[in-house]
Amino acid sequence: MRCRMSSYDKLGDEVVKELVEALKTNKTLKGINLGLNQLGDKAGKALAEALKTNKTLHELKVGYNQLNDEGGKALAEALKTNTTLQLLSMDGNKFSDEVKEVLRQAPKSKKLILST
């Protein structure tokens, strides 16, 4: 099963926290698209925490949000331990060159979309 939150939902960080709690124990959802939802670093860090325990999500799309270095670093760290995520799309966010380089160090088994 895949889930797409409308680009016009503008979920923001607080609503995503509830979604993240569900992702931690999710056993059916394979992909989620949270692009264009005004997600910031709080949401990025929360999603990273969920990725540390989630064993079913294959695709996470968080492009064109308001993620900055803090959220990017957290997601990069989660990629080191998550064994099931195959695609992380984060294009259109505001990462420094330093964080982009950290993200590019993700395991080669993962596809990372990071253009800005």
Side-chain angles (χ1 to χ4, degrees):
M1 175 179 2
R2 301 200 186 288
C3 176
R4 174 171 166 57
M5 302 298 187
S6 169
S7 355
Y8 301 103
D9 286 341
K10 298 179 183 171
L11 298 175
D13 290 347
E14 294 306 313
V15 173
V16 170
K17 283 184 187 179
E18 294 176 30
L19 175 64
V20 163
E21 287 305 310
L23 282 176
K24 288 180 181 178
T25 58
N26 165 60
K27 296 200 185 325
T28 56
L29 191 64
K30 302 286 185 202
I32 188 164
N33 185 342
L34 295 170
L36 293 163
N37 272 293
Q38 298 182 353
L39 305 182
D41 285 332
K42 286 183 183 178
K45 291 191 297 185
L47 287 164
E49 282 302 310
L51 289 177
K52 290 178 183 177
T53 57
N54 181 283
K55 303 292 184 222
T56 56
L57 201 63
H58 292 196
E59 294 181 5
L60 175 59
K61 298 178 181 179
V62 291
Y64 298 94
N65 279 293
Q66 297 171 359
L67 293 172
N68 292 302
D69 286 356
E70 197 173 334
K73 285 179 186 177
L75 287 163
E77 192 62 32
L79 290 177
K80 293 178 183 176
T81 57
N82 180 287
T83 58
T84 54
L85 194 71
Q86 298 168 5
L87 169 71
L88 176 58
S89 176
M90 299 193 307
D91 49 327
N93 286 290
K94 298 173 182 140
F95 302 122
S96 68
D97 290 340
E98 175 188 346
V99 170
K100 287 178 187 178
E101 187 55 38
V102 170
L103 287 163
R104 287 186 186 106
Q105 301 304 315
K108 299 302 178 201
S109 60
K110 315 246 188 253
K111 180 176 181 183
L112 181 65
I113 300 173
L114 190 59
S115 64
T116 56

